[in-house]
Amino acid sequence: MSQPERSAIEQAIAGYTVPDLERDLVSAGAIESIDIDGGRVTVAVRLGYPAASVREQLVAALRESIEAVGGVESAEVRIDWTIGMAKVQTGAERIENVGNIIAVASAKGGVGKSTTAANLALALRAEGARVGVLDADIYGPSQPRMLGIDGQPETIGDKAFKPMSGHGISAMSIGFLVDTESPMIWRGPMVTQALEQMLYSTRWPQLDYLIVDLPPGTGDIQLTLAQKVPLSGAIIVTTPQEIALLDARKGLKMFEKVSVPILGIVENMSLHVCSNCGHEEPIFGSGGGEKMAADYDVRLLGQLPLELSIRTQADSGEPTVVADPDSNAAVRYREIARRAAAALSRESSVPQGFPKIKIVED
């Protein structure tokens, strides 16, 4: 039996579209090497985003495609990832040890933005990334409770904070520094100054992603934050309800104005799932997130259900991804996190695949 050609192997790999990437691994530049030894083929893949929960699924799909090539007796596929640094908007100062900053925004309160941000951060960690959370909602900080963190951060010298930790996530929030039951009667400049201090004065550990839970709205505070925080991308959270979509569109356009890439849209509370009988009903309407994604040529990252358990788990300090990791909702959060990270990897300054170079002396 003749040895298979490399081009045939590449063609077989290119025939499989990776769901999270929405493209094949050859065109994505993720093939690190292809070794052919008779009928034995070994392929090394290096992704630009974490994908721990689907690694074996990808391996099986690629192995099946490769073994269908004539002359291939067996195929071994190895998958790993290197998370690079995506570019940020012009003029924004990068933060030491932080690779990529992703804003989670809603432009409207009450759509589940903070719950989504906490679960996406935990989902990225579950997929194999180093993750932090910055709670930028100065007026209504909720990440301390959602991540189950109490107390105040340690100070390093006179001007720096050591971030708090919950479920393996590094976190900083104004909720760690003030009495959460006292109202924050601060004007816009004070809010942005407080956020900048938390962002730049926190000694973050090495992070692949820092998730920023932005306050709702599209006013001066949100615009200033979008301009000053070195953002690699933004995720817009909405519900299918038209009144929520009106504000979500404003949020999307705000990021466009400051040249921050939109990684996609998350439609929260897409379906109400009855906790007694499991009946599903679109009480906030349907198709809104999908239509918005189509209108602005961005990806609908996923749709999340309106379930009692998601709320109770977040309130108890153990969000769904850690409280019930095998649940349908947790699987959806991880899927959304991978899709967003995959979209960001296209902007990465680190090449995702390197061809193997062999030097042959004459």
Side-chain angles (χ1 to χ4, degrees):
M1 183 179 293
S2 61
Q3 179 172 288
E5 297 289 335
R6 178 190 174 95
S7 60
I9 302 300
E10 289 182 343
Q11 186 175 358
I13 296 172
Y16 175 71
T17 299
V18 179
D20 296 327
L21 274 172
E22 292 189 310
R23 61 194 303 195
D24 67 90
L25 295 172
V26 176
S27 65
I31 304 303
E32 194 170 44
S33 65
I34 297 176
D35 291 333
I36 302 173
D37 182 7
R40 295 188 296 275
V41 177
T42 303
V43 176
V45 175
R46 186 160 296 277
L47 301 172
Y49 62 96
S53 65
V54 294
R55 192 204 305 252
E56 293 307 314
Q57 177 184 329
L58 288 176
V59 166
L62 293 173
R63 185 188 296 127
E64 181 180 358
S65 297
I66 295 167
E67 290 180 344
V69 175
V72 175
E73 297 173 2
S74 64
E76 179 184 355
V77 178
R78 296 193 295 268
I79 295 180
D80 208 338
W81 46 84
T82 298
I83 302 170
M85 295 174 63
K87 60 185 179 181
V88 299
Q89 68 270 47
T90 303
E93 179 185 353
R94 282 195 178 273
I95 300 169
E96 185 178 1
N97 294 333
V98 178
N100 301 285
I101 302 181
I102 301 175
V104 177
S106 64
K108 179 178 176 59
V111 298
K113 169 187 55 66
S114 294
T115 302
T116 301
N119 275 292
L120 290 185
L122 292 166
L124 285 168
R125 182 180 184 276
E127 292 296 335
R130 299 165 296 184
V131 186
V133 169
L134 176 66
D135 189 351
D137 195 346
I138 301 295
Y139 296 119
S142 54
Q143 292 302 329
R145 178 163 187 167
M146 289 188 179
L147 293 174
I149 305 174
D150 294 317
Q152 292 185 326
E154 297 179 21
T155 56
I156 304 172
D158 296 329
K159 298 181 179 180
F161 298 110
K162 181 179 179 181
M164 305 289 279
S165 180
H167 305 299
I169 298 289
S170 298
M172 179 53 65
S173 170
I174 196 70
F176 298 143
L177 306 174
V178 299
D179 180 3
T180 55
E181 294 188 6
S182 299
M184 300 296 293
I185 310 175
W186 288 0
R187 295 187 183 277
M190 295 177 66
V191 172
T192 54
Q193 183 179 355
L195 175 64
E196 286 187 82
Q197 185 175 355
M198 288 194 297
L199 187 64
Y200 290 101
S201 298
T202 299
R203 295 294 179 260
W204 300 102
Q206 199 67 46
L207 299 177
D208 298 308
Y209 304 103
L210 177 64
I211 303 299
V212 178
D213 180 10
L214 284 181
T218 54
D220 181 65
I221 292 174
Q222 289 75 16
L223 181 59
T224 302
L225 299 183
Q227 290 174 319
K228 290 191 174 183
V229 177
L231 298 174
S232 302
I235 296 172
I236 306 297
V237 180
T238 185
T239 67
Q241 190 176 7
E242 185 59 35
I243 197 167
L245 289 164
L246 289 172
D247 287 333
R249 290 184 175 93
K250 295 175 185 177
L252 186 147
K253 290 180 179 179
M254 179 187 72
F255 286 110
E256 286 183 340
K257 287 182 181 295
V258 294
S259 302
V260 174
I262 304 298
L263 303 180
I265 296 169
V266 175
E267 186 183 84
N268 198 26
M269 308 181 195
S270 181
L271 284 171
H272 172 251
V273 181
C274 178
S275 56
N276 289 324
C277 67
H279 173 69
E280 297 182 352
E281 185 176 11
I283 59 175
F284 290 118
S286 62
E290 187 175 6
K291 184 179 185 304
M292 179 179 168
D295 288 344
Y296 293 96
D297 194 26
V298 296
R299 188 174 186 183
L300 179 63
L301 296 173
Q303 296 167 300
L304 295 163
L306 175 61
E307 290 184 358
L308 176 62
S309 60
I310 294 177
R311 194 271 302 166
T312 57
Q313 288 159 352
D315 283 352
S316 69
E318 292 197 358
T320 303
V321 171
V322 291
D324 194 1
D326 296 323
S327 65
N328 175 60
V331 169
R332 292 193 187 198
Y333 279 121
R334 290 198 300 273
E335 184 178 73
I336 291 169
R338 289 195 311 272
R339 288 175 175 176
L344 189 59
S345 71
R346 299 186 185 186
E347 307 290 332
S348 174
S349 59
V350 177
Q352 304 308 323
F354 300 89
K356 180 177 287 186
I357 299 174
K358 295 182 179 179
I359 300 176
V360 180
E361 297 183 359
D362 293 331

